[in-house]
mmCIF file of all heavy atoms in Angstrom:
data_model
loop_
_atom_site.group_PDB
_atom_site.id
_atom_site.type_symbol
_atom_site.label_atom_id
_atom_site.label_comp_id
_atom_site.label_asym_id
_atom_site.label_seq_id
_atom_site.Cartn_x
_atom_site.Cartn_y
_atom_site.Cartn_z
ATOM 1 N N ILE A 12 1.559 0.945 4.763
ATOM 2 C CA ILE A 12 0.754 0.200 3.797
ATOM 3 C C ILE A 12 0.877 -1.315 4.012
ATOM 4 O O ILE A 12 1.976 -1.884 3.914
ATOM 5 C CB ILE A 12 1.215 0.528 2.349
ATOM 6 C CG1 ILE A 12 1.133 2.035 2.051
ATOM 7 C CG2 ILE A 12 0.434 -0.296 1.321
ATOM 8 C CD1 ILE A 12 -0.235 2.577 1.802
ATOM 9 N N ASP A 13 -0.227 -1.963 4.315
ATOM 10 C CA ASP A 13 -0.410 -3.411 4.152
ATOM 11 C C ASP A 13 0.658 -4.288 4.821
ATOM 12 O O ASP A 13 1.123 -5.259 4.210
ATOM 13 C CB ASP A 13 -0.500 -3.773 2.658
ATOM 14 C CG ASP A 13 -1.674 -3.122 1.941
ATOM 15 O OD1 ASP A 13 -2.436 -2.383 2.584
ATOM 16 O OD2 ASP A 13 -1.823 -3.352 0.721
ATOM 17 N N GLN A 15 0.732 -6.877 6.561
ATOM 18 C CA GLN A 15 -0.184 -7.957 6.937
ATOM 19 C C GLN A 15 0.500 -9.308 6.753
ATOM 20 O O GLN A 15 1.429 -9.444 5.940
ATOM 21 C CB GLN A 15 -1.429 -7.886 6.039
ATOM 22 C CG GLN A 15 -2.272 -6.645 6.271
ATOM 23 C CD GLN A 15 -3.275 -6.414 5.140
ATOM 24 O OE1 GLN A 15 -2.987 -5.674 4.207
ATOM 25 N NE2 GLN A 15 -4.444 -7.053 5.226
ATOM 26 N N PHE A 18 1.546 -10.765 3.327
ATOM 27 C CA PHE A 18 2.644 -10.153 2.583
ATOM 28 C C PHE A 18 3.992 -10.381 3.269
ATOM 29 O O PHE A 18 5.019 -9.913 2.785
ATOM 30 C CB PHE A 18 2.403 -8.647 2.402
ATOM 31 C CG PHE A 18 1.179 -8.330 1.587
ATOM 32 C CD1 PHE A 18 0.144 -7.569 2.123
ATOM 33 C CD2 PHE A 18 1.048 -8.801 0.289
ATOM 34 C CE1 PHE A 18 -0.988 -7.286 1.375
ATOM 35 C CE2 PHE A 18 -0.087 -8.522 -0.467
ATOM 36 C CZ PHE A 18 -1.103 -7.761 0.074
ATOM 37 N N LEU A 24 1.057 -14.267 -0.252
ATOM 38 C CA LEU A 24 1.677 -13.428 -1.288
ATOM 39 C C LEU A 24 2.880 -12.736 -0.642
ATOM 40 O O LEU A 24 2.990 -11.520 -0.580
ATOM 41 C CB LEU A 24 0.640 -12.424 -1.822
ATOM 42 C CG LEU A 24 1.034 -11.424 -2.909
ATOM 43 C CD1 LEU A 24 1.847 -12.048 -4.026
ATOM 44 C CD2 LEU A 24 -0.210 -10.745 -3.469
ATOM 45 N N VAL A 26 6.093 -11.022 0.260
ATOM 46 C CA VAL A 26 7.026 -10.123 -0.408
ATOM 47 C C VAL A 26 8.422 -10.481 0.098
ATOM 48 O O VAL A 26 8.617 -10.608 1.315
ATOM 49 C CB VAL A 26 6.690 -8.657 -0.057
ATOM 50 C CG1 VAL A 26 7.688 -7.697 -0.699
ATOM 51 C CG2 VAL A 26 5.252 -8.322 -0.468
ATOM 52 N N ASP A 51 -5.175 -4.417 3.193
ATOM 53 C CA ASP A 51 -5.754 -5.033 2.008
ATOM 54 C C ASP A 51 -6.845 -5.980 2.523
ATOM 55 O O ASP A 51 -6.599 -6.758 3.465
ATOM 56 C CB ASP A 51 -4.626 -5.801 1.288
ATOM 57 C CG ASP A 51 -4.793 -5.888 -0.220
ATOM 58 O OD1 ASP A 51 -5.300 -4.930 -0.841
ATOM 59 O OD2 ASP A 51 -4.390 -6.930 -0.784
ATOM 60 N N HIS A 53 -9.862 -8.279 1.058
ATOM 61 C CA HIS A 53 -10.586 -8.817 -0.091
ATOM 62 C C HIS A 53 -11.691 -9.787 0.308
ATOM 63 O O HIS A 53 -11.575 -10.505 1.312
ATOM 64 C CB HIS A 53 -9.623 -9.554 -1.023
ATOM 65 C CG HIS A 53 -8.565 -8.687 -1.611
ATOM 66 N ND1 HIS A 53 -8.833 -7.501 -2.256
ATOM 67 C CD2 HIS A 53 -7.208 -8.843 -1.678
ATOM 68 C CE1 HIS A 53 -7.701 -6.962 -2.691
ATOM 69 N NE2 HIS A 53 -6.701 -7.738 -2.342
ATOM 70 N N SER A 59 -9.463 -10.249 -8.219
ATOM 71 C CA SER A 59 -8.010 -10.184 -8.439
ATOM 72 C C SER A 59 -7.332 -11.522 -8.150
ATOM 73 O O SER A 59 -6.110 -11.638 -8.324
ATOM 74 C CB SER A 59 -7.380 -9.108 -7.545
ATOM 75 O OG SER A 59 -7.348 -9.508 -6.191
ATOM 76 N N GLN A 80 -5.237 -6.104 -15.334
ATOM 77 C CA GLN A 80 -5.194 -6.465 -13.914
ATOM 78 C C GLN A 80 -4.301 -7.690 -13.754
ATOM 79 O O GLN A 80 -4.513 -8.704 -14.431
ATOM 80 C CB GLN A 80 -6.616 -6.780 -13.417
ATOM 81 C CG GLN A 80 -6.690 -7.398 -12.020
ATOM 82 C CD GLN A 80 -6.274 -6.432 -10.902
ATOM 83 O OE1 GLN A 80 -6.754 -5.307 -10.844
ATOM 84 N NE2 GLN A 80 -5.389 -6.875 -10.022
ATOM 85 N N TRP A 83 -3.470 -12.526 -8.680
ATOM 86 C CA TRP A 83 -2.664 -12.848 -7.507
ATOM 87 C C TRP A 83 -3.145 -14.145 -6.877
ATOM 88 O O TRP A 83 -4.301 -14.535 -7.053
ATOM 89 C CB TRP A 83 -2.797 -11.722 -6.467
ATOM 90 C CG TRP A 83 -2.430 -10.381 -6.999
ATOM 91 C CD1 TRP A 83 -3.288 -9.379 -7.331
ATOM 92 C CD2 TRP A 83 -1.114 -9.893 -7.279
ATOM 93 N NE1 TRP A 83 -2.584 -8.289 -7.793
ATOM 94 C CE2 TRP A 83 -1.255 -8.577 -7.773
ATOM 95 C CE3 TRP A 83 0.171 -10.439 -7.154
ATOM 96 C CZ2 TRP A 83 -0.156 -7.795 -8.144
ATOM 97 C CZ3 TRP A 83 1.265 -9.664 -7.523
ATOM 98 C CH2 TRP A 83 1.097 -8.361 -8.008
ATOM 99 N N HIS A 86 -5.338 -13.814 -1.218
ATOM 100 C CA HIS A 86 -4.601 -13.212 -0.099
ATOM 101 C C HIS A 86 -5.493 -12.208 0.612
ATOM 102 O O HIS A 86 -6.438 -11.676 0.032
ATOM 103 C CB HIS A 86 -3.331 -12.497 -0.612
ATOM 104 C CG HIS A 86 -3.635 -11.340 -1.524
ATOM 105 N ND1 HIS A 86 -3.943 -11.499 -2.852
ATOM 106 C CD2 HIS A 86 -3.727 -10.009 -1.275
ATOM 107 C CE1 HIS A 86 -4.198 -10.317 -3.394
ATOM 108 N NE2 HIS A 86 -4.086 -9.385 -2.460
ATOM 109 N N CYS A 87 -5.178 -11.955 1.865
ATOM 110 C CA CYS A 87 -5.853 -10.908 2.650
ATOM 111 C C CYS A 87 -7.364 -10.992 2.564
ATOM 112 O O CYS A 87 -8.055 -9.987 2.326
ATOM 113 C CB CYS A 87 -5.349 -9.520 2.240
ATOM 114 S SG CYS A 87 -3.601 -9.279 2.601
ATOM 115 N N LYS A 111 -9.154 -1.522 2.114
ATOM 116 C CA LYS A 111 -9.306 -1.302 0.675
ATOM 117 C C LYS A 111 -9.330 -2.640 -0.034
ATOM 118 O O LYS A 111 -8.808 -3.630 0.487
ATOM 119 C CB LYS A 111 -8.161 -0.445 0.144
ATOM 120 C CG LYS A 111 -6.818 -1.125 0.338
ATOM 121 C CD LYS A 111 -5.665 -0.257 -0.071
ATOM 122 C CE LYS A 111 -4.349 -0.946 0.194
ATOM 123 N NZ LYS A 111 -4.143 -2.185 -0.590
ATOM 124 N N ASP A 118 -9.949 -4.292 -8.010
ATOM 125 C CA ASP A 118 -8.828 -4.344 -7.077
ATOM 126 C C ASP A 118 -8.480 -2.918 -6.646
ATOM 127 O O ASP A 118 -8.888 -1.945 -7.273
ATOM 128 C CB ASP A 118 -7.625 -5.014 -7.744
ATOM 129 C CG ASP A 118 -6.671 -5.634 -6.724
ATOM 130 O OD1 ASP A 118 -6.981 -5.589 -5.514
ATOM 131 O OD2 ASP A 118 -5.620 -6.166 -7.135
ATOM 132 N N SER A 119 -7.749 -2.807 -5.559
ATOM 133 C CA SER A 119 -7.335 -1.500 -5.069
ATOM 134 C C SER A 119 -5.919 -1.592 -4.537
ATOM 135 O O SER A 119 -5.689 -2.076 -3.442
ATOM 136 C CB SER A 119 -8.280 -1.015 -3.972
ATOM 137 O OG SER A 119 -7.965 0.309 -3.602
ATOM 138 N N TYR A 120 -4.945 -1.165 -5.322
ATOM 139 C CA TYR A 120 -3.569 -1.108 -4.817
ATOM 140 C C TYR A 120 -3.389 0.131 -3.950
ATOM 141 O O TYR A 120 -2.792 0.087 -2.888
ATOM 142 C CB TYR A 120 -2.571 -1.040 -5.977
ATOM 143 C CG TYR A 120 -2.533 -2.249 -6.876
ATOM 144 C CD1 TYR A 120 -2.191 -2.119 -8.222
ATOM 145 C CD2 TYR A 120 -2.812 -3.515 -6.387
ATOM 146 C CE1 TYR A 120 -2.124 -3.219 -9.054
ATOM 147 C CE2 TYR A 120 -2.759 -4.621 -7.217
ATOM 148 C CZ TYR A 120 -2.412 -4.467 -8.555
ATOM 149 O OH TYR A 120 -2.350 -5.545 -9.375
ATOM 150 N N LEU A 151 4.348 -2.406 2.370
ATOM 151 C CA LEU A 151 4.395 -3.443 1.328
ATOM 152 C C LEU A 151 3.247 -3.244 0.337
ATOM 153 O O LEU A 151 2.154 -2.880 0.760
ATOM 154 C CB LEU A 151 4.263 -4.817 1.993
ATOM 155 C CG LEU A 151 5.325 -5.108 3.086
ATOM 156 C CD1 LEU A 151 4.966 -6.371 3.849
ATOM 157 C CD2 LEU A 151 6.720 -5.218 2.473
ATOM 158 N N ALA A 152 3.462 -3.448 -0.898
ATOM 159 C CA ALA A 152 4.767 -3.640 -1.513
ATOM 160 C C ALA A 152 5.174 -2.356 -2.231
ATOM 161 O O ALA A 152 4.331 -1.672 -2.783
ATOM 162 C CB ALA A 152 4.703 -4.792 -2.531
ATOM 163 N N TYR A 153 6.470 -2.088 -2.223
ATOM 164 C CA TYR A 153 7.016 -0.861 -2.812
ATOM 165 C C TYR A 153 6.473 -0.595 -4.214
ATOM 166 O O TYR A 153 6.126 0.532 -4.566
ATOM 167 C CB TYR A 153 8.535 -1.010 -2.856
ATOM 168 C CG TYR A 153 9.301 0.103 -3.512
ATOM 169 C CD1 TYR A 153 9.393 1.354 -2.907
ATOM 170 C CD2 TYR A 153 9.981 -0.112 -4.714
ATOM 171 C CE1 TYR A 153 10.132 2.379 -3.504
ATOM 172 C CE2 TYR A 153 10.725 0.901 -5.309
ATOM 173 C CZ TYR A 153 10.784 2.143 -4.705
ATOM 174 O OH TYR A 153 11.520 3.144 -5.285
ATOM 175 N N ASP A 154 6.434 -1.648 -5.046
ATOM 176 C CA ASP A 154 6.105 -1.478 -6.467
ATOM 177 C C ASP A 154 4.626 -1.655 -6.763
ATOM 178 O O ASP A 154 4.222 -1.578 -7.932
ATOM 179 C CB ASP A 154 6.951 -2.439 -7.317
ATOM 180 C CG ASP A 154 7.051 -3.835 -6.727
ATOM 181 O OD1 ASP A 154 6.704 -4.037 -5.538
ATOM 182 O OD2 ASP A 154 7.501 -4.732 -7.450
ATOM 183 N N PHE A 155 3.814 -1.904 -5.752
ATOM 184 C CA PHE A 155 2.369 -1.998 -5.962
ATOM 185 C C PHE A 155 1.636 -1.037 -5.025
ATOM 186 O O PHE A 155 1.434 0.118 -5.352
ATOM 187 C CB PHE A 155 1.886 -3.463 -5.865
ATOM 188 C CG PHE A 155 2.302 -4.233 -7.087
ATOM 189 C CD1 PHE A 155 3.489 -4.947 -7.113
ATOM 190 C CD2 PHE A 155 1.529 -4.184 -8.247
ATOM 191 C CE1 PHE A 155 3.901 -5.615 -8.275
ATOM 192 C CE2 PHE A 155 1.917 -4.837 -9.412
ATOM 193 C CZ PHE A 155 3.118 -5.557 -9.419
ATOM 194 N N CYS A 156 1.249 -1.499 -3.846
ATOM 195 C CA CYS A 156 0.362 -0.657 -3.033
ATOM 196 C C CYS A 156 1.047 0.611 -2.518
ATOM 197 O O CYS A 156 0.427 1.679 -2.496
ATOM 198 C CB CYS A 156 -0.252 -1.482 -1.919
ATOM 199 S SG CYS A 156 -1.442 -2.675 -2.577
ATOM 200 N N VAL A 157 2.304 0.526 -2.140
ATOM 201 C CA VAL A 157 3.017 1.745 -1.725
ATOM 202 C C VAL A 157 3.153 2.681 -2.923
ATOM 203 O O VAL A 157 2.846 3.872 -2.850
ATOM 204 C CB VAL A 157 4.407 1.414 -1.147
ATOM 205 C CG1 VAL A 157 5.186 2.686 -0.846
ATOM 206 C CG2 VAL A 157 4.266 0.560 0.123
ATOM 207 N N ILE A 181 7.838 -6.520 -4.607
ATOM 208 C CA ILE A 181 7.543 -7.817 -5.225
ATOM 209 C C ILE A 181 8.472 -8.013 -6.428
ATOM 210 O O ILE A 181 9.010 -9.074 -6.650
ATOM 211 C CB ILE A 181 6.054 -7.902 -5.645
ATOM 212 C CG1 ILE A 181 5.133 -7.806 -4.413
ATOM 213 C CG2 ILE A 181 5.787 -9.192 -6.418
ATOM 214 C CD1 ILE A 181 3.636 -7.729 -4.729
HETATM 215 C C1 VGL B 301 -0.638 -5.734 -2.931
HETATM 216 C C2 VGL B 301 -0.830 -7.118 -4.754
HETATM 217 C C3 VGL B 301 -2.139 -7.406 -4.436
HETATM 218 C C4 VGL B 301 0.217 -4.822 -2.120
HETATM 219 C C5 VGL B 301 -1.962 -5.990 -2.599
HETATM 220 O O1 VGL B 301 -0.089 -4.599 -0.919
HETATM 221 O O2 VGL B 301 1.217 -4.305 -2.668
HETATM 222 N N1 VGL B 301 -0.093 -6.288 -4.022
HETATM 223 N N2 VGL B 301 -2.693 -6.835 -3.357
#
Side-chain angles (χ1 to χ4, degrees):
I12 303 284
D13 299 0
Q15 293 165 266
F18 297 121
L24 180 44
V26 178
D51 210 35
H53 298 309
S59 72
Q80 170 68 50
W83 304 105
H86 64 280
C87 296
K111 62 185 178 64
D118 205 3
S119 186
Y120 296 150
L151 304 170
Y153 176 70
D154 43 346
F155 287 93
C156 290
V157 175
I181 297 174

